[in-house]
Amino acid sequence: MLAPMAFSRREQSLSQSIGALIAQHLWAKILLGMVLGTLTGLVLSPGGLALLENDTVLMAAEWIALPGVIFLEMLKMVVIPLIICSIALGILTSGSPHQLKRMGAFIVPYFIITSFVAVGIGLAITLIIQPGHTVGTSIDTLAAAMTADGGIKTFDDLTVPQRIVNLIPSNFVEAAMQTDMLKVVIGAIFLGVAALTIPREIAKPFEDLCLFGQVAAMKIISWAMALAPYAVFGLMVDAMVRLGFDILTAIGWYMGCVLLGLVIILGLYLFGAAVFGHRPPFEFLRAIRDVQLLAFSTSSSAAVMPLSIRAAEENLGVSEDISRFVIPVGTTINMDGTGLYQAVAAVFLCQIFKVDLSFTEMILLLCTTVGASIGTPATPGVGIAVLATILSGIGVPPAGIGIIFGVDRILDMCRTTINVTGDLTAVVIMDKWMKKNFA
Ligand code: ASP
């Protein structure tokens, strides 16, 4: 059974942070920041009106981008503890070890496979359409300026068995320090499962610590978010001044790639729900449309979770013990929309910054992005913060995020809708499978 107390405390604290963000109409301010940043870039850029000397403009751009750089550093500061706490807490509150074994044996591989498919679709679309190659101007100055903090790192040259061994975090602290997402996610899963299988009173302090970590990290993110409109403005001016106007076309292509990928995933869900869950597409969509609308407007799978559970039970007739296990676990680890978006964004920025990834590096990017999407908490705008850690692993300056940040809210709304649709698809498939095998 669920652990209702822990679950509701966690939900309450999360929804407070989410509610505050939504109430401030932050997304509208961020969009305004993007528009003003674009216009200012137009006035200052050497390719635009060029009102000032080139050197003066570059120096001014660095200052204007300062809130953006501070904003990114604040996000990076909390993302690792946030991921560890979210995963461990997600497993801990998912039920009993028995339930984890019986249902987890089906649903966890299902979630992992669908995540790989989603990320694979994202990589394929971006490699075929190449949205980042629509930028013609030299980006050397930008890359040099943006990498000043960390330098370019690429994946290590390891053999496949070495890479497999390398997945186990022999030193968890070191993995966290190096922002090695896959190791961090795997370590957090070990911790969560261990805490679930030991006596409850011993695990309790750990659960409280994770709850504190998650809520405190969300609080710091909400402070950073107050800077977001200025951050977007400054980073946009900086990008326009250094990259020129092609960047706007590239952003349009990038958004197109993300949206195309999300539509393909939706098609696959409808197919899966029809074939394996015996729900005709229109009937399925009608049953879940309220959940989708709420996900679209709040950009938070966590906020929508209670409604998802209700829709699964009342509209789709899924049994309680299945919906109350699958939806919370799915909300935590099943983020196909986010995974696809992170893959598109990572490859798009690689194309912009002319980082060439070999085939092995692409496979590693696939695994890292799946791990990162699993670790992304189900709250607004966090997908992009987690993306920053993926980027530093593949040699793209995390500040490159400034380029895509302005349009992130609208993409967040769309990917969250797909994330919750994925959970509801999983629940109908699981329901059929359980009834067939265990009824
Ligand atoms: N907003 C997404 C969700 O809650 C997570 C993200 O991609 O930022 O599902």
Side-chain angles (χ1 to χ4, degrees):
M1 283 307 291
L2 279 175
M5 268 311 291
F7 197 64
S8 60
R9 276 164 66 215
R10 176 187 173 206
E11 282 312 295
Q12 269 169 18
S13 325
L14 271 182
S15 58
Q16 273 167 11
S17 326
I18 294 159
L21 288 182
I22 294 166
Q24 293 159 2
H25 294 296
L26 199 62
W27 62 273
K29 293 181 194 159
I30 290 176
L31 266 186
L32 185 68
M34 187 185 172
V35 173
L36 293 180
T38 310
L39 293 177
T40 313
L42 191 74
V43 172
L44 292 181
S45 161
L49 300 182
L51 290 186
L52 298 172
E53 288 279 313
N54 209 1
D55 284 350
T56 322
V57 170
L58 288 178
M59 206 177 72
E62 204 180 337
W63 277 100
I64 297 174
L66 189 62
V69 178
I70 294 175
F71 166 79
L72 290 170
E73 294 302 309
M74 281 177 80
L75 289 187
K76 281 198 274 168
M77 173 171 77
V78 294
V79 83
I80 295 284
L82 182 58
I83 288 178
I84 297 172
C85 296
S86 296
I87 292 188
L89 210 55
I91 296 175
L92 251 170
T93 52
S94 69
S96 63
H98 172 68
Q99 192 167 12
L100 192 67
K101 230 194 232 156
R102 195 166 68 112
M103 297 200 205
F106 174 86
I107 208 66
V108 173
Y110 170 92
F111 283 152
I112 292 178
I113 291 169
T114 52
S115 298
F116 269 102
V117 172
V119 173
I121 292 174
L123 292 181
I125 289 180
T126 325
L127 289 173
I128 294 169
I129 299 183
Q130 311 232 340
H133 287 154
T134 47
V135 178
T137 1
S138 160
I139 50 122
D140 292 349
T141 6
L142 178 68
M146 284 182 166
T147 46
D149 56 342
I152 288 186
K153 283 188 275 170
T154 46
F155 290 129
D156 300 332
D157 220 358
L158 297 176
T159 63
V160 176
Q162 280 170 337
R163 283 185 200 282
I164 294 173
V165 174
N166 227 15
L167 290 178
I168 309 295
S170 53
N171 185 339
F172 197 35
V173 178
E174 192 189 2
M177 277 171 61
Q178 292 174 346
T179 53
D180 191 331
M181 298 298 296
L182 260 189
K183 282 188 185 172
V184 168
V185 168
I186 290 171
I189 293 175
F190 270 108
L191 273 177
V193 175
L196 187 66
T197 44
I198 59 180
R200 185 115 187 108
E201 62 283 5
I202 301 181
K204 189 78 181 65
F206 176 67
E207 185 182 324
D208 287 343
L209 182 69
C210 288
L211 183 66
F212 164 77
Q214 194 184 42
V215 176
M218 284 308 297
K219 190 82 212 161
I220 296 176
I221 288 187
S222 72
W223 293 336
M225 279 297 182
L227 275 180
Y230 312 99
V232 171
F233 170 79
L235 293 171
M236 203 62 211
V237 173
D238 198 47
M240 296 266 304
V241 164
R242 294 173 203 269
L243 280 181
F245 298 102
D246 293 353
I247 196 66
L248 294 181
T249 327
I251 292 173
W253 280 101
Y254 153 74
M255 287 180 78
C257 287
V258 176
L259 295 177
L260 173 67
L262 294 179
V263 169
I264 295 176
I265 296 185
L266 180 65
L268 291 177
Y269 286 158
L270 294 180
F271 176 78
V275 174
F276 305 110
H278 301 175
R279 313 281 165 156
F282 285 112
E283 191 187 302
F284 181 62
L285 283 174
R286 203 171 322 116
I288 66 167
R289 69 180 165 207
D290 287 350
V291 184
Q292 288 182 315
L293 270 176
L294 194 67
F296 187 76
S297 46
T298 59
S299 295
S300 165
S301 324
V304 176
M305 193 171 72
L307 194 66
S308 298
I309 294 178
R310 208 179 69 191
E313 290 167 9
E314 291 177 9
N315 304 353
L316 294 164
V318 172
S319 48
E320 246 181 43
D321 58 334
I322 294 182
S323 69
R324 289 175 193 213
F325 176 80
V326 174
I327 302 274
V329 175
T331 302
T332 312
I333 67 171
N334 183 41
M335 298 228 174
D336 297 340
T338 298
L340 175 129
Y341 143 81
Q342 286 167 336
V344 174
V347 178
F348 169 68
L349 290 174
C350 277
Q351 291 167 354
I352 296 254
F353 288 96
K354 314 258 185 286
V355 175
D356 280 328
L357 296 177
S358 67
F359 182 71
T360 332
E361 286 170 338
M362 204 56 91
I363 300 291
L364 212 56
L365 175 63
L366 178 78
C367 300
T368 308
T369 312
V370 169
S373 74
I374 289 174
T376 304
T379 47
V382 193
I384 196 159
V386 175
L387 176 68
T389 58
I390 303 179
L391 294 183
S392 41
I394 53 173
V396 173
I401 280 192
I403 297 171
I404 54 172
F405 195 74
V407 293
D408 195 61
R409 173 68 191 199
I410 181 79
L411 296 181
D412 194 9
M413 293 161 88
C414 301
R415 66 185 186 247
T416 308
T417 310
I418 295 301
N419 289 344
V420 299
T421 309
D423 298 336
L424 286 157
T425 307
V427 93
V428 292
I429 295 179
M430 174 93 186
D431 192 49
K432 270 274 156 318
W433 187 79
M434 290 294 281
K435 281 180 184 146
K436 201 167 132 207
N437 292 290
F438 295 98

